[in-house]
Amino acid sequence: MTTEMTELKRLIDALKREPVDRPPCICPGGMMNMIVENVMDLTNRTWPEAHLDGEAMAELAAGQPENGGFENYGVPFCMTVEAEAMGAPVSMGDRIHEPRVTGYVMSNSDDMASLKEMDLSSGRTTQVCRAISLLKKRNGDIPVIANLTGPISLATSLVDPSLFYKDMKKSPEKVQTLMDFVVEQLVRFGRAQVEAGADVLTISDPSGTGEILGPKAFERWAIPALNGILDRLSPSVKGTIVHICGRLGGVAHLLDDIRSDCISFDSITSAKELALRLSTKSLMGNVSTLAIETASPEHLKRMAKVCMDQGIDILAPACGIGAGTALSQVRTLVDSAKERKSS
């Protein structure tokens, strides 16, 4: 294939494991933050203000692809929007630090009375959707990626994780009630983002990994919750991505059961081994974020080449990049993908 593709078509075809002219290079947003200080300077839009205003959020996200960076738009830039909309207190951070949840809504896993449905009529949920709508109108060739906090990660932002993980064994009925509620709220927010114009949906669940849960609990809790979201939202988007942190060796045999198009994963997991074990997924990642920030351009290009040689379909950071990362380093990563022409 020699015809150059749009960024949107290239990403969708790569997600679906269709032929592409070269791998896309993206960073979805959400937990997989794509914003760096250089882009703040270029757009004159900064954190924390851009977390709160849809127009500023859109301008900041657009600053990546419009300045030679990642080949997508992705919002929001953190994992706190859903928890805040359900009542959790959140610190907005500063120019280089992302927002974080500062307290729990629930006193225990059974404290459902303290929870409220996600507010989609005001606050940051509406600003995220506004940003998506503005980005969709800005350039139809650039994919707009919506983001959801993974269900277990959201649950452990609402209640102390130590209590939640214990109750998975001690009181599974309590955990199931909470998870059902969390999934329903995530579907509502995901649907709002899709209706605003998102092309692709990414779910990132750093608290729901195989390393934290173990294979049995990952199969019992993480997969059904993820699929509960994917089954209801996938028909409305062009592609879906699930990001899972940590080592995936212990749960690699279960990943085909997740009904996403793509699995995104950490640099600690071997792309080569995962490519051999997964039969239905495209693979995204898994360039070390530390290397993106600190490695020489030559070393970074070598690392990107190794990732693609080992089976990566969509070149991306292994996690969210630090705001101090130079935009020139992101451009180096994008150039590595551009130089990878299909044979």
Side-chain angles (χ1 to χ4, degrees), residues 150-182:
I152 290 177
S153 297
L154 178 53
T156 53
S157 293
L158 301 171
V159 64
D160 187 326
S162 63
L163 300 176
F164 178 82
Y165 292 132
K166 286 179 182 177
D167 280 343
M168 283 182 166
K169 291 184 176 180
K170 291 173 51 181
S171 304
E173 69 286 348
K174 296 179 183 178
V175 171
Q176 188 63 61
T177 299
L178 174 57
M179 290 301 292
D180 289 345
F181 185 83
V182 162

Side-chain angles (χ1 to χ4, degrees), residues 294-320:
T294 63
S296 69
E298 295 76 17
H299 186 204
L300 184 56
K301 278 198 169 186
R302 286 196 297 271
M303 293 183 71
K305 182 179 184 299
V306 168
C307 287
M308 292 182 285
D309 285 345
Q310 291 187 343
I312 289 294
D313 301 292
I314 300 166
L315 191 65
C319 196

